[in-house]
Amino acid sequence: MRKIAALLVCTSFFFACNTDKTPAADNTSIGNKSNETKDAQHFEGEISNGMKGDKISFDISADGKKLQNLTFSGYWRCSGKLEQTTTGPEGAFDIVDGKAKGSISEPPNGGSTAWHFEIDATLNGDKAEGTFRMNINNLGCDSYLLKWTASAK
């Protein structure tokens, strides 16, 4: 699981949490997202209340029932430091009546160093908007609540 690998990297560097060099940021890694979503609709968007250049992307499954491959690329605070990362959950969020709302913990059983990903998305054709947050409580890492808009690509 890429989150566990990133967590091990973070803790081995005294909670630096700079995960932009993890396999999740490498398109050649096993489980490459681009190979998993041939029939999915891809969305890309920007964060309006984060750091300049922060981005979000995700796919809507071909059947329209899952928001998957959620990826945040940008800055978050980790142990009091501003760090850049590219990451997202391996799980998917259910879409019901054009909305995806929920959270994913990785590992699923949680724990003090689990990654938590939360999304509240409204999908309308080729446009989407909502909020996103990710954090690791025990390590003091948090993106805080970010507002985003995205469009199909």
Side-chain angles (χ1 to χ4, degrees):
M1 179 181 288
R2 65 181 186 213
K3 299 298 152 262
I4 292 171
L7 181 59
L8 292 173
V9 170
C10 289
T11 55
S12 68
F13 287 102
F14 303 102
F15 307 116
C17 292
N18 185 353
T19 59
D20 60 346
K21 294 180 176 71
T22 64
D26 180 3
N27 287 335
T28 63
S29 66
I30 297 171
N32 182 351
K33 291 180 181 185
S34 64
N35 292 334
E36 297 173 357
T37 58
K38 290 183 180 180
D39 298 324
Q41 185 177 25
H42 184 70
F43 283 77
E44 295 179 4
E46 296 183 359
I47 309 293
S48 64
N49 64 329
M51 301 295 289
K52 184 176 181 178
D54 286 358
K55 296 180 182 191
I56 193 166
S57 65
F58 55 88
D59 297 317
I60 303 301
S61 62
D63 64 6
K65 294 181 180 181
K66 298 281 185 188
L67 187 151
Q68 57 198 21
N69 299 324
L70 176 64
T71 302
F72 168 77
S73 179
Y75 291 89
W76 68 332
R77 294 245 173 235
C78 200
S79 298
K81 296 179 183 177
L82 191 61
E83 300 286 343
Q84 189 173 21
T85 188
T86 299
T87 192
E90 292 187 14
F93 299 90
D94 291 331
I95 298 173
V96 178
D97 296 328
K99 296 185 183 287
K101 183 174 183 171
S103 63
I104 294 175
S105 289
E106 292 182 354
N109 295 332
S112 63
T113 57
W115 290 69
H116 300 281
F117 300 92
E118 299 174 20
I119 194 154
D120 187 353
T122 300
L123 309 164
N124 188 6
D126 63 353
K127 302 286 183 197
E129 65 181 4
T131 59
F132 170 77
R133 180 182 181 198
M134 68 178 192
N135 65 323
I136 307 172
N137 288 334
N138 203 39
L139 299 182
C141 300
D142 204 326
S143 69
Y144 302 101
L145 191 64
L146 300 171
K147 297 178 183 177
W148 56 267
T149 57
S151 57
K153 300 295 178 189

